[in-house]
């Protein structure tokens, strides 16, 4: 008796993405240019980095609906400090990280200690974070940030934009945490079977707090990356991104109920959606139809995967010699 290994959903998604790129390129050859793809991933770095944080939360079995609010709120605070106190780029980066960890830690504490659904908690904190920033900063947007922040955003390392370097480094760190640390194994264990994980000695409270704090850290870094790209901050920015993150990750094979997911799946899921959106633009499909078409594609792919898995669960679980 031996197990039969199948390609994960993330690999099928990668194949579909390649086919889609080739199809769009046959209509508009500019789409497949390496420079265009690099610029595309650079400009969408916030999606990749934010997804790494939400990935851990979803593997744990939770949902963080405050991710968009955290990104926008942190961006506003850091932008205000850049203008008022003339902090440098690295101070801005550290500030964004600290704020992100604090916001995420609050989410983790509330989810862990109150034993209330993460959906309810993060819906509440989503409004609290934006509301607090509006009240204390007293502005909805901050424009014309110091040149240093956008100059940093134009940096390249061996021809690779700094934003993509961030994606690579953070992706590797996230992979290492999930693959090689006790904390990572605990996240998978609790997401897969909470009671069994606790019996095996995993500390649910510490793991929950770490997971949400890490998601907050990713929100902070995403906010910093946003400022390097745009040089502006809007308190209403990134509204609705939390749903987009979930769609990307589910398409990348992350389980909505926890226990399964991977960094490569997150990357493929994010890449697929941004390629889809950009491809629609290249073939002149109205931007107002993008969300509708993406929702249709999402429904088809996920529904097919569910039906396929149910139909073939017994067939592919083991293979008899």
């Amino acid at each position: 008796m031996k197990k039969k290994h199948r390609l994960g959903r993330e690999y099928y998604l990668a194949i579909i993405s390649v086919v889609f790129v080739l199809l769009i390129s046959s209509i508009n050859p500019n789409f497949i240019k390496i420079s265009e793809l690099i610029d595309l991933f650079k400009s969408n770095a916030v999606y990749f980095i934010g997804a790494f944080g939400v990935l851990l939360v979803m593997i744990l079995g939770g949902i963080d609906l405050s991710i968009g609010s955290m990104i926008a709120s942190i961006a506003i605070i850091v932008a205000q400090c850049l203008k008022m106190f003339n902090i440098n780029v690295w101070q801005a980066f550290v500030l964004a990280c600290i704020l992100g960890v604090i916001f995420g830690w609050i989410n983790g504490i509330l989810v862990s200690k109150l034993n209330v659904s993460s959906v309810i908690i993060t819906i509440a904190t989503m409004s609290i974070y934006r509301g607090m920033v509006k009240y204390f900063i007293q502005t909805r947007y901050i424009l014309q940030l110091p040149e240093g922040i956008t100059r940093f955003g134009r940096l390249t390392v061996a021809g690779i934009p700094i934003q993509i370097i961030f994606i690579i480094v953070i992706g590797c760190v996230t992979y290492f945490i999930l693959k090689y640390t006790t904390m990572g194994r605990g996240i998978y264990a609790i997401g897969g079977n909470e009671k069994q994980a606790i019996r095996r000695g995993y500390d649910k409270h510490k793991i929950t707090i770490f997971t949400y704090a890490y998601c907050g850290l990713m929100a902070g870094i995403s906010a910093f990356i946003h400022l390097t790209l745009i040089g502006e901050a809007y308190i209403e920015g990134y509204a609705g991104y939390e749903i987009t993150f979930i769609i990307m990750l589910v398409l990348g094979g992350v389980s909505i109920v926890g226990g399964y997911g991977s960094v490569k799946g997150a990357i493929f899921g994010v890449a697929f959606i941004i390629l889809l959106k950009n491809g629609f633009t290249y073939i002149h499909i109205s931007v107002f139809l993008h969300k509708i078409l993406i929702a249709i594609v999402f429904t088809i792919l996920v529904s097919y995967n569910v039906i396929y898995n149910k139909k073939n669960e017994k067939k592919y679980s083991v293979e008899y010699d």
Side-chain angles (χ1 to χ4, degrees), residues 6 18 36 56 72 109 111 118 122 130 139 141 146 148 165 197-199 237 252-253 261 286 295:
R6 292 178 295 154
V18 171
E36 292 287 331
L56 267 65
I109 286 287
V111 171
S118 59
T122 56
R130 286 191 199 270
T139 185
Y141 52 85
I165 298 297
I198 292 172
R199 284 198 298 268
S286 171

Side-chain angles (χ1 to χ4, degrees), residues 26 30 64 252 268:
S26 68
N30 289 326
D64 191 341
F268 290 154

